[in-house]
Amino acid sequence: MQPLQSTATATLGGDIVAPGDKSISHRALLLSALTVGQTEIDGLLTAEDTLATAAAISALGAPASYDEAGRWHVTGVGVGGLSAPEGVLDLGNSGTGARLLLGVLVGHPLSAVLTGDDSLRSRPMARVTEPLSRMGARFVCADGGRLPITVTGTADPLALDYRLPVPSAQVKSALLLAGLSAAGQTTIIESKPTRDHSERMLRLFGANVSSETEADGGKRITLEGQPELVSPGSLTVPGDPSSAAFPLVAALLVPGSRVTVGGVCINALRTGLYESLSEMGATLEFALTGEACGDSVADLHASASALRSVTVPAERAPRMIDEYPILAVAAACASGTSRFEGLDELRVKESDRLAAITDGLAANGVTVEGDADSLTIMGAGGPPPGGGTVVTHGDHRIAMAFLVLGLVTRRPVIVDDGSTIATSFPGFAELMGGLGACIARP
Ligand code: S3P
């Protein structure tokens, strides 16, 4: 446990670059492993989660490493070409790494054991193992269908036609990756569209993936199985909008601040937070700079703003699923009562985020009510009292969100463990320090 404390800051200012997008980084590693030959990747997130995925594909026979300049090199073996690993594949804290890898392994006639840390071993895996079993793979799971899991794949998986019971890009992606090895078309229907990086990147690697909008607003995604995947040779991973959210919200809250985060992926299925902040009256500007990994990229500018409350409807949840902790912090400082609905998936993230947000805000003098799947936050209309210690339950986004809160509260905020920030945003405290924030050991 490494506690961290943040203290009220006079003003924040400067230009930074967001770390590489975590979702796209996992997909870049896995797809590079599934093409024959070398792929060079710039901008890839080098953090504990993605290092775990890189170690897993290396153990499966597709070596992935990075050089002094931070450029990654992956030597792929083609779809179906991975080989049995010698030891257990430990995906650490990474739900994306574990679930997507289970999908990849379905089309490989080998057995592998996947595990993770305490948090990952408590997260639901049946959402992927159940549909992947229908494709012909076998899974032996710990109690409750959780990790550790032994997966045994097959050389001839069956194509699948499946409607996602929960909106989850991880489940969708696991099924698409498994569908690569199946003869015929794999079709996934999602009633609430989720991040589509897998679809975009599969196309970049030469797969035939189509996506149609259904009458009810959902999506039907169809993948032609057994494509000849071809590496684009080199890729640049754009910055992570979920990580950029922390310095940008900090700039909105600390009076007199102006911060730019450059090179951020602005995939429309990731920008629900920014829509919500705009509805709250935030001064946020987007300046498009180009494209990377099939997504638009922009520099994002945030200036201190007087925020008002917001109601975030359930339909928006998949487009801002990782951003509720930091939006809750913004709502705690806004004027009026905010309400976030449709949060049941927050219960099964790196922690029970609905409970962690409620407890963390209450510990810092914010009036908050959480029920089964919603949050109501009474904004202080300025800096809340603070002075509390936040139990992060090993959750990086809870830690970063509450460290941002402490930059404006009347008394410092302590998070019980900042070490998990390294899973997605190594150097967070130093980068924030460069903007003028006071984040240090208590
Ligand atoms: C992710 C999908 C989301 C998100 C996670 C990353 C991905 O999870 O919360 O941080 O890369 O596909 P779910 O698919 O479980 O909603």
Side-chain angles (χ1 to χ4, degrees):
M1 298 279 257
Q2 289 170 17
L4 281 176
Q5 172 177 286
S6 58
T7 313
T9 298
T11 161
L12 298 174
D15 287 16
I16 54 174
V17 174
D21 187 79
K22 184 149 73 75
S23 293
I24 295 177
S25 295
H26 285 295
R27 288 155 173 83
L29 289 168
L30 293 170
L31 288 171
S32 300
L34 295 178
T35 57
V36 178
Q38 190 84 7
T39 304
E40 316 288 335
I41 312 169
D42 289 308
L44 193 124
L45 174 69
T46 303
E48 286 175 6
D49 275 14
T50 43
L51 286 168
T53 293
I57 59 170
S58 301
L60 288 159
S65 61
Y66 59 98
D67 60 27
E68 277 172 14
R71 172 173 254 221
W72 279 77
H73 310 269
V74 183
T75 309
V77 289
V79 174
L82 295 171
S83 44
E86 292 219 329
V88 170
L89 303 174
D90 186 348
L91 278 307
N93 191 247
S94 179
T96 306
R99 293 186 176 128
L100 270 55
L101 192 59
L102 286 172
V104 165
L105 290 174
V106 165
H108 291 80
L110 56 83
S111 289
V113 182
L114 271 66
T115 192
D117 67 8
D118 289 351
S119 154
L120 189 55
R121 279 188 279 108
S122 72
R123 297 180 67 183
M125 291 292 151
R127 53 180 58 197
V128 282
T129 55
E130 196 278 319
L132 292 175
S133 302
R134 299 191 202 178
M135 300 179 85
R138 282 184 295 120
F139 298 92
V140 180
C141 308
D143 284 351
R146 296 174 205 274
L147 294 173
I149 292 176
T150 304
V151 49
T152 305
T154 163
D156 309 298
L158 302 169
L160 184 71
D161 199 331
Y162 190 71
R163 178 177 282 275
L164 293 178
V166 284
S168 167
Q170 292 179 357
V171 179
K172 170 177 65 176
S173 303
L175 300 178
L176 290 172
L177 289 166
L180 284 175
S181 302
Q185 290 186 338
T186 287
T187 302
I188 317 291
I189 300 160
E190 48 180 10
S191 25
K192 288 185 184 165
T194 63
R195 65 190 70 192
D196 57 359
H197 305 303
S198 295
E199 295 91 307
R200 290 168 186 265
M201 292 185 69
L202 278 161
R203 281 183 206 118
L204 270 185
F205 279 78
N208 190 350
V209 186
S210 64
S211 182
E212 287 157 39
T213 303
E214 305 266 271
D216 63 358
K219 270 195 188 169
R220 168 183 293 267
I221 300 122
T222 306
L223 167 83
E224 298 288 344
Q226 301 182 337
E228 188 65 44
L229 288 190
V230 182
S231 167
S234 62
L235 287 174
T236 300
V237 175
D240 196 324
S242 301
S243 298
F246 300 105
L248 290 169
V249 170
L252 295 175
L253 298 182
V254 176
S257 301
R258 178 159 171 92
V259 165
T260 298
V261 183
V264 181
C265 168
I266 52 159
N267 180 307
L269 294 163
R270 297 286 298 281
T271 48
L273 169 76
Y274 298 106
E275 273 170 60
S276 303
L277 290 170
S278 297
E279 289 169 13
M280 295 172 84
T283 309
L284 273 172
E285 294 147 42
F286 286 50
L288 273 179
T289 54
E291 270 203 11
C293 289
D295 270 312
S296 299
V297 178
D299 292 345
L300 273 52
H301 310 278
S303 305
S305 309
L307 300 180
R308 51 183 182 270
S309 58
V310 67
T311 296
V312 183
E315 304 81 78
R316 195 177 296 165
R319 290 189 286 115
M320 56 168 294
I321 192 66
D322 291 334
E323 279 66 78
Y324 285 102
I326 191 63
L327 187 66
V329 165
C333 304
S335 58
T337 300
S338 292
R339 195 171 155 77
F340 310 160
E341 290 161 355
L343 306 186
D344 35 345
E345 275 295 299
L346 287 199
R347 299 268 185 204
V348 291
K349 292 295 173 187
E350 287 83 329
S351 68
D352 174 346
R353 279 193 182 149
L354 214 158
I357 293 171
T358 310
D359 295 348
L361 288 178
N364 285 288
V366 179
T367 308
V368 52
E369 280 164 24
D371 65 18
D373 69 348
S374 73
L375 262 181
T376 305
I377 299 168
M378 275 50 96
T389 296
V390 175
V391 182
T392 57
H393 301 281
D395 187 328
H396 55 132
R397 298 199 200 280
I398 295 296
M400 289 186 277
F402 281 97
L403 288 170
V404 169
L405 180 67
L407 300 178
V408 286
T409 46
R410 296 201 286 277
R411 287 183 291 144
V413 170
I414 294 177
V415 300
D416 68 345
D417 187 13
S419 65
T420 51
I421 293 173
T423 60
S424 68
F425 200 152
F428 168 76
E430 295 74 15
L431 200 76
M432 293 297 292
L435 296 174
C438 260
I439 299 177
R441 292 190 178 195

